[in-house]
Amino acid sequence: MIYTCYEMIRDCRADRAEGWRYFVANYVPAIRKLLARYSPGSAAGGAALERILVALRKPDSPLFQHLDPAPERWFVAGLRQSVLGQLESTAAVMEIDLATVAAALEPLTLVEKQTAWLETMAYTPQETAVLLRMAPATAEKIREKAAELVRGKVDAWRRTMLADNGAALGREAAAARGAECLAAKIFLDVLDGRATWRGREEMEQHVTRCWHCIDHFCRMVEVVELLRGAQPLGGQEAEPFLKLLGIPAEKRPVWKRWVG
Ligand SMILES: [Zn+2]
């Protein structure tokens, strides 16, 4: 029998140990990657990871409330938002708001806007080039162009302004969902090459004007990347986390121990 993300959500909601074991083994690696990117200082000690896991385990954790026949990527998109929502804001004061970013970057094309936005998500031009399948030099050039446009709109500009204010900008964009905004599935269809050209054109007309959707698309790009080549934790690696969450480790039959 194949145990999927769907069964995991069902079992975690019912607080069954197998659900939590699967969650720890398969999604702690994704949470670690998110922490390394969005909270680089906290990743080393593991305290942030523990705090997040304990919060997700609580019965009212919204992450496990939706039991749509959810493909794994929808679950991980929710996981990403839960993890980032529990990180403390890095910037003490917000130096630039979404309206200013939107006004500054208005002349850019959609791909250029996505390239610029991934800077708020702490992606270097090189990493961005991989995510958006473009040449690194192209990504760098777009970042330069975007930086100049932002510079023209603010008083105290510095090169790391978008990245430094990324958490706050991301929260603002995520909250700015409108009636016309697209569902995650549409972005995933585009990323998988399943969307029709016509569907894609309509999408672009909205998305290029909408920073909620630009952010949402970039988040889905990140989710796809998080799952690419992800290795589940081995039994020993998972053990401390299961202990933390009060989940009994799986009793493996003797013959299985011999095999590995
Ligand atoms: Zn939108």
Side-chain angles (χ1 to χ4, degrees):
M1 195 197 93
I2 297 169
Y3 190 89
T4 64
C5 190
Y6 179 84
E7 274 92 36
M8 177 197 76
I9 295 170
R10 183 200 60 200
D11 285 348
C12 286
R13 207 158 63 159
D15 205 21
R16 291 197 197 103
E18 53 265 58
W20 290 108
R21 281 190 212 115
Y22 186 93
F23 174 72
V24 164
N26 288 278
Y27 300 108
V28 163
I31 298 172
R32 276 185 173 150
K33 279 197 211 170
L34 286 167
L35 286 174
R37 172 161 306 280
Y38 293 104
S39 184
S42 73
L49 176 57
E50 291 186 1
R51 183 168 52 77
I52 285 164
L53 287 174
V54 168
L56 291 175
R57 168 97 161 88
K58 289 191 178 134
D60 58 346
S61 167
L63 184 59
F64 297 96
Q65 296 312 306
H66 300 282
L67 195 63
D68 314 316
E72 184 181 32
R73 296 181 295 185
W74 295 9
F75 175 74
V76 175
L79 176 66
R80 181 211 186 263
Q81 293 305 80
S82 294
V83 170
L84 265 70
Q86 292 185 53
L87 298 177
E88 276 115 53
S89 182
T90 40
V93 275
M94 199 168 170
E95 299 161 305
I96 184 167
D97 63 6
L98 189 62
T100 309
V101 174
L105 302 184
E106 210 258 297
L108 298 183
T109 66
L110 176 54
V111 173
E112 288 173 334
K113 285 174 185 166
Q114 290 162 349
T115 306
W117 188 252
L118 281 164
E119 186 168 352
T120 71
M121 292 162 67
Y123 285 90
T124 67
Q126 289 72 25
E127 292 169 330
T128 300
V130 174
L131 291 180
L132 299 180
R133 294 178 202 156
M134 58 171 64
T138 308
E140 269 173 56
K141 227 185 265 170
I142 294 168
R143 286 282 173 88
E144 291 301 319
K145 194 169 154 186
E148 280 311 307
L149 289 169
V150 172
R151 188 178 197 160
K153 290 277 181 193
V154 296
D155 299 329
W157 181 84
R158 52 170 208 289
R159 188 68 192 79
T160 56
M161 191 171 222
L162 286 185
D164 292 347
N165 292 271
L169 287 169
R171 271 195 296 275
E172 230 191 308
R177 187 179 171 87
E180 274 180 68
C181 287
L182 305 180
K185 183 180 184 309
I186 296 173
F187 294 128
L188 287 172
D189 283 350
V190 170
L191 289 171
D192 293 339
R194 275 197 309 260
T196 63
W197 191 84
R198 183 172 157 71
R200 213 187 148 112
E201 191 187 38
E202 278 171 9
M203 179 202 94
E204 287 193 9
Q205 280 179 11
H206 169 77
V207 173
T208 197
R209 291 178 280 108
C210 176
W211 285 89
H212 171 80
C213 284
I214 290 170
D215 174 59
H216 195 179
F217 178 80
C218 289
R219 282 187 269 134
M220 295 318 289
V221 170
E222 179 171 67
V223 163
V224 171
E225 182 64 21
L226 278 174
L227 289 171
R228 187 172 291 149
Q231 291 292 324
L233 297 184
Q236 282 198 333
E237 272 183 293
E239 234 178 76
F241 299 115
L242 295 175
K243 212 173 158 188
L244 174 79
L245 300 181
I247 305 298
E250 200 170 11
K251 286 190 186 71
R252 302 169 75 196
V254 176
W255 62 268
K256 257 195 174 168
R257 264 181 244 146
W258 285 104
V259 183

